[in-house]
Amino acid sequence: RFEAYGWHVLRVPDVNDLVALDAAIRAAQAETDRPSLIICRTHIGYGSPNKVDSAKAHGEALGAAEIEGARAALGWTAPPFVIPEPILEAWRAAGRRSVAAREAWERRLAASPQREAFKARLSNDLPDEVFERLSAFKTKMSTEAPKLATRKSSEMALGEINAATDKTVGGSADLTHSNFTITPGMGSVGPDDASGRYIHYGVREHAMAAVMNGLALHGGFVPYGGTFLTFADYARGAIRLSALMGLRVVYVMTHDSIGLGEDGPTHQPVEHLWALRAIPGLDVVRPADANEVTVAWRTILDRTDHPAALSLSRQNLPVFDRAVLGSADGTARGGYVLADADGAQPDVILIGTGSEVQLALAASKLLAADGIKARVVSMPCVEWFSEQDASYRDQVLPPHIQARVSVEAGIALGWHQFVGTAGRCVSLEHFGASADYKKLYAEFGITADSVAEAARDCLANVRPGEIHR
Amino acid sequence: RFEAYGWHVLRVPDVNDLVALDAAIRAAQAETDRPSLIICRTHIGYGSPNKVDSAKAHGEALGAAEIEGARAALGWTAPPFVIPEPILEAWRAAGRRSVAAREAWERRLAASPQREAFKARLSNDLPDEVFERLSAFKTKMSTEAPKLATRKSSEMALGEINAATDKTVGGSADLTHSNFTITPGMGSVGPDDASGRYIHYGVREHAMAAVMNGLALHGGFVPYGGTFLTFADYARGAIRLSALMGLRVVYVMTHDSIGLGEDGPTHQPVEHLWALRAIPGLDVVRPADANEVTVAWRTILDRTDHPAALSLSRQNLPVFDRAVLGSADGTARGGYVLADADGAQPDVILIGTGSEVQLALAASKLLAADGIKARVVSMPCVEWFSEQDASYRDQVLPPHIQARVSVEAGIALGWHQFVGTAGRCVSLEHFGASADYKKLYAEFGITADSVAEAARDCLANVRPGEIHR
């Protein structure tokens, strides 16, 4: 199998044949074009008289009697935890072996005119220009106000980022022209030329995530890679490791709901947003429009010790008019007030994310026609919002306002915590279906009408004076 | 790569060479020992003058002009959606080709004395003895009352099941002696002998889940397979398909919390229970003791159109004394009252699952010493509980009792819905660590004291008369 992958494969039939093992290591060192795999035939629990070649030597402690037997079989006479002097000295010699080479390298670096450039190249800092361009880009988006899929505005943000730094390494799991992850002039990394900085990973979401973890661990790279949100399932093992290791790896997850339309339930994420939010330390960011996208990218790149999963729409979304609505800078705080009715104390809070924020906004207008004052909160990142201090959170979601409605085209799961016992969730608690996205939203009741109705239902049941803690 | 896997691999360099394609299919049909893979070189969007060999032919509609070009290139003159008669007739002939063979087979079946046995073999029904044995086993466990890991009581339940039916096909992803998924006399499925009914899947969680889906789709088999709960991540794509297709596939997920101890955070599930509960249609079942385990298996096997993930402990758990506590039969309803203080109206409800139910019970005794009446609810399966009618749910979790505490050694996420705005969750909101499990529970505050303290905190803040809706 590894030969089929183009690896250099060596076999050592008996790992205790140290001459053969040494020869294999030397052959691997001499191989410069391919990665090497040395396959050794070993015996688990080697020396243990009764547990050798058995899972017991893996899953259990050997125990005193078996340890005695192993010591006798191996001819080991030193007391427990004592390393005989010749062995200790051999290891210490190995530790000293490359001292001169390391010191020579350090002298060469210290004397090099490229010293600072080298260090900058390996650091995880990004040039200020990245953040400046994203800020400028935001202003431009506001004045032009086109209707854009957030996957498309992400591509535009990436254009700014990739023009300002060459530390980003992009890629996609065979969905480049759906994820919109490539920008002009990146160049591809190929078998014969690794000078580019875009990797065509193939239909290999897990390998993509694992490779990105490696790039981030190396330092000096900011890896990002795309796939459909639903295929996050295939990469989940490695996404969890991004979070466990605190790496700045960016997952560009497009086609983030039933809004992808006709591809149907296998391709439509329903549970994935909350399943990803469940991973400790992973920032799940679902921007509502082009300006939230640019602030999201800025914030993600600024957080050097957190991976992020960007959840982006396939379908076009309106770019909100920030002259009358709250600033998209609120994205960096995870949740913010997008709109308030007349600046007055709201009767009800509508919380939306991504493509459903427009539904919350539309619902607020329906409610206003009935004299109900609704606040619209855009909540692109639950994790960032939860990091804010209590006073900010209480300002956005005042504890005394118990009438709350969440709207997201996926399962409600964690939204219950935000809307509370008296609240309602407009959600999708089952798999999707194959149809035009507008039909699906209408059929499954993810609509402004549903949000307004849920709000009225809340208000009819909330008793005055109840406090949300 | 497929050759390395032992497949029969054929190549057709030009898929339009129908003679070569036919020869390859015949060669594959003639190969009886191995699966065959025919690799064809094809052109996506073949015939389309401008989109051939491009992702555009996959991700976009061709459009009228391109369709015209493709029709011209292919020499296709029939009107759109009209199938020319000779082609239609060729397909209909293919449909008729095997009529005689099918009818002969049906006559042979109708005349066979083994007809009923054959149908029973292929049906998804299990013999009554499976369920009878599980009920009898339950009684036995109650009187003997040992302290057992739930993975161990699951092995005992499997012993009863596998003795009563040969429809079960067991297996594990290289963790048989940790998952306790094999029972005496099953026999292994190997390359040269497929007569056994236990599959050693290797470290291949995704393949295991996919194979189990195939077995369930075939019919007449009840596949179950084991791995550590944390490795559910690797199988998630196929687990989702079990749910989407409504298949009775049983995932035996052991080592279900930080309670696994020293293997550390990579092996300790924290977010996995809620990440699995997030999948629509998947029953996640986390029994608290041996009797809940047997009722869980009984219920899982009785639900022919639902996959289940059993979440089982590595560490030993007490077997509750059902003479004084609620019957484990409540497991089948997903959640039930395990204990009430003095049969009186409770002040607070403590909801636990799996290994943490014992903590809720211990906390109820701490609270009783302070004169606080606590109800303990065991909630092994949120999905089954949610299927119950409102009157049962309200009986277990009376709406007027707002003081509620959940306890589970994982993230709280979905528990907020059950404990409500006034409730508290005793949970673990970060990755685990490597240590003895008792130390980890104490260090991370998953203790009876924490539960009791959370209950007191709730009661101090709940205002009388508030209603949980």
Side-chain angles (χ1 to χ4, degrees):
Chain A
R1 176 174 158 189
F2 278 83
E3 280 165 359
Y5 286 155
W7 285 49
H8 172 223
V9 177
L10 298 150
R11 284 184 174 76
V12 177
D14 174 8
V15 77
N16 289 312
D17 178 350
L18 298 185
V19 174
L21 187 62
D22 186 61
I25 292 170
R26 285 175 196 278
Q29 287 170 331
E31 169 63 51
T32 54
D33 289 343
R34 297 174 294 172
S36 296
L37 176 72
I38 305 176
I39 301 173
C40 304
R41 177 62 66 170
T42 65
H43 296 273
I44 193 168
Y46 181 73
S48 159
N50 303 303
K51 296 189 179 173
V52 62
D53 288 334
S54 139
K56 288 178 194 293
H58 176 85
E60 303 169 8
L62 283 183
E66 195 68 8
I67 287 172
E68 269 315 302
R71 290 170 61 90
L74 297 169
W76 191 261
T77 54
F81 298 104
V82 169
I83 303 167
E85 192 57 37
I87 294 173
L88 188 62
E89 179 46 35
W91 278 99
R92 287 195 168 140
R96 287 188 302 263
R97 197 162 51 200
S98 303
V99 168
R102 176 174 63 81
E103 287 176 351
W105 184 87
E106 281 173 353
R107 278 191 304 272
R108 195 155 67 90
L109 178 63
S112 169
Q114 293 178 287
R115 188 169 62 104
E116 292 311 316
F118 179 81
K119 286 184 178 171
R121 172 74 260 184
L122 283 187
S123 99
N124 283 326
D125 294 340
L126 287 171
D128 293 343
E129 193 192 338
V130 169
F131 302 96
E132 289 159 8
R133 274 178 176 255
L134 285 172
S135 298
F137 179 67
K138 173 172 79 80
T139 312
K140 193 175 115 213
M141 292 298 306
S142 292
T143 47
E144 296 187 358
K147 200 165 179 183
L148 278 177
T150 46
R151 62 173 173 155
K152 190 73 192 169
S153 26
S154 170
E155 181 189 46
M156 295 163 81
L158 278 170
E160 302 297 318
I161 296 162
N162 293 338
T165 179
D166 61 1
K167 290 190 171 183
T168 43
V169 177
S172 169
D174 202 42
L175 287 166
T176 291
H177 300 293
S178 297
N179 301 141
F180 294 152
T181 33
I182 203 164
T183 63
M186 295 190 86
S188 292
V189 175
D192 301 317
D193 180 0
S195 64
R197 55 189 180 113
Y198 194 84
I199 304 178
H200 298 276
Y201 290 102
V203 187
R204 295 180 177 182
E205 296 82 1
H206 191 268
M208 175 173 77
V211 167
M212 292 201 292
N213 285 340
L215 287 167
L217 282 167
H218 176 280
F221 293 115
V222 183
Y224 69 86
T227 188
F228 286 0
L229 178 57
T230 196
F231 301 146
D233 281 348
Y234 296 112
R236 205 168 156 90
I239 294 173
R240 184 177 208 249
L241 287 178
S242 307
L244 188 50
M245 296 189 284
L247 302 175
R248 182 177 51 187
V249 169
V250 190
Y251 296 94
V252 181
M253 307 294 202
T254 69
H255 297 60
D256 73 346
S257 74
I258 51 168
L260 67 84
E262 292 82 351
D263 275 349
T266 53
H267 286 49
Q268 288 166 353
V270 169
E271 72 276 26
H272 298 75
L273 285 165
W274 278 112
L276 288 171
R277 288 176 186 135
I279 299 176
L282 176 69
D283 297 339
V284 179
V285 193
R286 191 165 188 252
D289 78 343
N291 286 313
E292 286 196 9
V293 167
T294 59
V295 183
W297 266 111
R298 210 173 62 191
T299 311
I300 288 167
L301 294 178
D302 201 36
R303 289 166 66 89
T304 52
D305 57 353
H306 279 269
L310 255 175
S311 167
L312 302 170
S313 75
R314 173 181 189 262
Q315 73 272 35
N316 280 333
L317 301 181
V319 177
F320 298 131
D321 181 357
R322 302 292 175 167
V324 295
L325 297 169
S327 163
D329 286 338
T331 302
R333 307 191 82 166
Y336 64 101
V337 178
L338 183 67
D340 255 335
D342 310 326
Q345 190 66 269
D347 302 313
V348 59
I349 305 175
L350 312 178
I351 308 170
T353 77
S355 45
E356 286 72 68
V357 172
Q358 60 180 316
L359 302 182
L361 266 181
S364 75
K365 288 178 186 134
L366 294 175
L367 292 167
D370 289 354
I372 298 169
K373 292 186 282 295
R375 161 174 292 189
V376 176
V377 170
S378 180
M379 183 81 76
C381 182
V382 168
E383 293 79 13
W384 297 346
F385 185 71
S386 301
E387 285 178 12
Q388 304 303 310
D389 57 32
S391 75
Y392 178 76
R393 285 185 278 122
D394 287 353
Q395 191 183 313
V396 176
L397 301 175
H400 67 277
I401 306 178
Q402 291 231 7
R404 300 173 177 197
V405 178
S406 70
V407 56
E408 187 171 80
I411 58 169
L413 198 57
W415 289 118
H416 291 287
Q417 182 181 4
F418 289 91
V419 303
T421 305
R424 296 288 180 275
C425 299
V426 175
S427 66
L428 192 66
E429 301 298 330
H430 51 76
F431 292 112
S434 176
D436 176 85
Y437 83 90
K438 288 177 184 163
K439 183 176 172 65
L440 289 174
Y441 270 84
E443 195 74 29
F444 293 144
I446 316 284
T447 62
D449 282 338
S450 298
V451 175
E453 191 181 312
R456 289 191 198 96
D457 185 42
C458 276
L459 287 166
N461 285 289
V462 170
R463 303 184 318 162
E466 289 183 7
I467 302 294
H468 198 289
R469 276 173 296 267
Chain B
R1 175 175 160 189
F2 278 83
E3 280 165 0
Y5 287 156
W7 285 49
H8 172 223
V9 178
L10 297 149
R11 283 185 174 76
V12 177
D14 174 6
V15 77
N16 289 312
D17 179 349
L18 298 185
V19 174
L21 187 61
D22 186 60
I25 292 171
R26 285 175 197 277
Q29 287 171 329
E31 168 64 50
T32 54
D33 289 344
R34 296 174 293 171
S36 296
L37 176 73
I38 304 175
I39 301 173
C40 303
R41 178 61 66 170
T42 65
H43 296 274
I44 194 168
Y46 181 74
S48 158
N50 303 304
K51 296 189 178 174
V52 63
D53 290 332
S54 138
K56 290 179 193 293
H58 175 86
E60 303 169 7
L62 283 183
E66 196 67 9
I67 286 172
E68 269 315 302
R71 290 169 60 90
L74 297 169
W76 191 260
T77 54
F81 298 105
V82 170
I83 303 168
E85 192 56 38
I87 293 173
L88 189 60
E89 179 47 34
W91 277 98
R92 287 192 168 143
R96 286 188 301 264
R97 198 164 48 200
S98 304
V99 167
R102 176 176 61 81
E103 287 175 351
W105 184 87
E106 281 172 352
R107 277 193 302 273
R108 195 154 66 91
L109 178 63
S112 169
Q114 293 178 289
R115 188 170 61 104
E116 291 311 314
F118 178 82
K119 286 185 178 168
R121 172 74 259 186
L122 282 187
S123 99
N124 282 326
D125 294 340
L126 287 171
D128 293 342
E129 192 192 340
V130 169
F131 302 96
E132 289 159 9
R133 274 178 176 256
L134 284 172
S135 298
F137 179 67
K138 174 172 79 77
T139 311
K140 194 176 112 211
M141 293 296 308
S142 293
T143 47
E144 295 186 359
K147 201 165 179 185
L148 278 176
T150 46
R151 63 173 171 154
K152 191 72 193 170
S153 26
S154 169
E155 182 190 46
M156 294 164 81
L158 279 170
E160 303 296 319
I161 296 162
N162 292 339
T165 181
D166 60 0
K167 289 190 172 183
T168 43
V169 176
S172 170
D174 203 40
L175 287 166
T176 292
H177 300 293
S178 297
N179 301 142
F180 294 152
T181 33
I182 202 164
T183 63
M186 295 190 86
S188 292
V189 176
D192 300 317
D193 180 2
S195 64
R197 55 187 180 116
Y198 194 85
I199 304 177
H200 298 276
Y201 289 101
V203 187
R204 295 181 177 182
E205 295 82 3
H206 191 268
M208 175 172 77
V211 167
M212 292 202 292
N213 285 341
L215 288 168
L217 283 167
H218 176 279
F221 293 115
V222 183
Y224 69 86
T227 187
F228 286 0
L229 177 56
T230 195
F231 301 146
D233 281 350
Y234 295 112
R236 207 170 154 89
I239 294 173
R240 184 177 208 250
L241 288 177
S242 307
L244 188 49
M245 297 189 284
L247 302 176
R248 182 177 51 187
V249 170
V250 190
Y251 297 93
V252 181
M253 308 293 202
T254 68
H255 297 61
D256 73 346
S257 74
I258 51 166
L260 67 84
E262 291 83 351
D263 276 350
T266 53
H267 286 49
Q268 289 167 352
V270 168
E271 71 276 27
H272 298 75
L273 284 166
W274 278 112
L276 287 172
R277 288 176 186 135
I279 299 177
L282 176 68
D283 298 339
V284 180
V285 193
R286 191 166 189 253
D289 77 344
N291 287 312
E292 286 196 7
V293 167
T294 59
V295 182
W297 266 111
R298 210 173 61 191
T299 311
I300 288 167
L301 294 179
D302 200 35
R303 289 166 66 88
T304 53
D305 57 354
H306 279 269
L310 256 175
S311 166
L312 303 169
S313 75
R314 173 181 188 262
Q315 73 272 33
N316 280 331
L317 301 181
V319 177
F320 298 132
D321 181 358
R322 302 293 173 167
V324 296
L325 297 170
S327 162
D329 286 337
T331 301
R333 306 191 82 165
Y336 65 100
V337 178
L338 183 67
D340 254 337
D342 310 327
Q345 190 67 265
D347 301 312
V348 59
I349 304 174
L350 313 178
I351 308 170
T353 77
S355 45
E356 286 71 68
V357 173
Q358 59 180 317
L359 302 181
L361 267 182
S364 74
K365 288 178 186 133
L366 294 174
L367 293 166
D370 288 356
I372 298 170
K373 291 184 285 292
R375 160 174 293 188
V376 176
V377 169
S378 180
M379 183 81 77
C381 182
V382 168
E383 294 79 14
W384 297 345
F385 186 70
S386 301
E387 284 178 14
Q388 304 303 310
D389 57 32
S391 75
Y392 178 77
R393 284 185 279 121
D394 286 353
Q395 191 183 313
V396 175
L397 301 176
H400 66 278
I401 306 178
Q402 291 231 6
R404 300 174 178 196
V405 178
S406 70
V407 56
E408 186 171 79
I411 58 169
L413 199 55
W415 289 118
H416 291 286
Q417 184 182 1
F418 289 90
V419 304
T421 306
R424 297 287 180 274
C425 300
V426 175
S427 66
L428 192 66
E429 301 299 329
H430 51 76
F431 292 111
S434 177
D436 175 85
Y437 82 90
K438 287 177 185 164
K439 183 175 170 65
L440 289 174
Y441 271 84
E443 194 75 28
F444 293 145
I446 316 285
T447 61
D449 282 339
S450 298
V451 175
E453 191 181 312
R456 288 191 198 96
D457 186 41
C458 276
L459 286 166
N461 285 289
V462 171
R463 301 184 319 163
E466 288 184 6
I467 301 294
H468 197 288
R469 279 173 294 268

